Amino acid sequence: MTAPQPAPASPSRIAADHPGVTELFALLAYGEVAAFYRLTEEARMAPDLRGRINMASMAAAEMAHYELLRDALQARGVDVVPAMTRYASALENYHRLTTPSTWLEALVKTYVGDALAADFYLEIADVLPDEVAAVVRGVLSETGHSQFVVAEVRQAVTASGRQRSRLALWSRRLLGEAITQAQYVLADHDELVDLVLAGPGGLGQVADFFDRLQRTHSDRMQQLGLA
């Protein structure tokens, strides 16, 4: 998947020192660390060396993103470990509830997680100050690694209607769990809600955001041959 490009710049609606920026960086930092360990573990499920290398490349990119976020937090005078630990519960719950049992499930989870993260980042990118948006864009820079998933999943589901049905159900479960955990995070962190509310949609932006997640998810499932 090619990393989406942010919308054209618009006047920032929040200040660079808005507390929500720190919370955003902390959330993303823990997400990158959790993704690294997940990808490392799931690489063992690959049926061949090519698959393991692809997963390892994605894991390496996740740690590079973590270091970018760590440096950004340190520049703000924030200790990254305690800051990001506040988000451990929601992210670990998501991974615990969506542990893949097959290589194809691991691939779909990688693709869906990659895409949903990009959607979330881009939802708020146009209201962020330039220096904050630059960090967000840096975190997005390697999301194209999961493109290798598309060809492999499409080949599998073309050959097997049973696989198509199983993976379509799996993809819906991934989306549902991701939305549930995102709602928990927003409910517990008003600073993050402020970032979403800074968009032009105001209060309705939160509900609209989850609606958009579902629409873009459907589009991506078509790319995988699961719609």
Side-chain angles (χ1 to χ4, degrees), residues 43-144:
R44 300 171 186 170
M45 304 172 73
D48 53 35
L49 180 59
R50 185 182 302 276
R52 290 192 290 275
I53 289 172
N54 282 327
M55 282 293 202
S57 294
M58 290 189 68
E62 303 292 359
M63 284 309 295
H65 295 162
Y66 162 75
E67 292 169 358
L68 178 65
L69 292 159
R70 177 203 61 200
D71 292 348
L73 284 166
Q74 288 178 343
R76 299 169 72 87
V78 177
D79 186 343
V80 63
V81 173
M84 70 181 187
T85 300
R86 294 195 290 272
Y87 296 96
S89 177
L91 289 167
E92 293 301 331
N93 281 339
Y94 171 72
H95 288 302
R96 176 178 57 81
L97 293 168
T98 58
T99 301
S101 60
T102 68
W103 171 241
L104 287 172
E105 286 185 358
L107 289 180
V108 172
K109 181 178 177 181
T110 295
Y111 188 76
V112 169
D114 190 16
L116 290 175
D119 286 344
F120 177 70
Y121 303 162
L122 293 177
E123 186 71 22
I124 58 176
D126 61 348
V127 301
L128 298 176
D130 289 344
E131 62 270 35
V132 176
V135 175
V136 173
R137 286 193 295 270
V139 172
L140 277 173
S141 64
E142 299 295 334
T143 58

Side-chain angles (χ1 to χ4, degrees), residues 27 86-94 96-97 176-193 206 209-210:
L27 169 62
R86 294 195 290 272
Y87 296 96
S89 177
L91 289 167
E92 293 301 331
N93 281 339
Y94 171 72
R96 176 178 57 81
L97 293 168
E177 293 294 350
I179 288 177
T180 296
Q181 297 306 322
Q183 289 171 336
Y184 287 152
V185 167
L186 291 176
D188 289 341
H189 298 277
D190 292 341
E191 303 92 343
L192 290 176
V193 176
V206 177
F209 166 61
F210 289 112

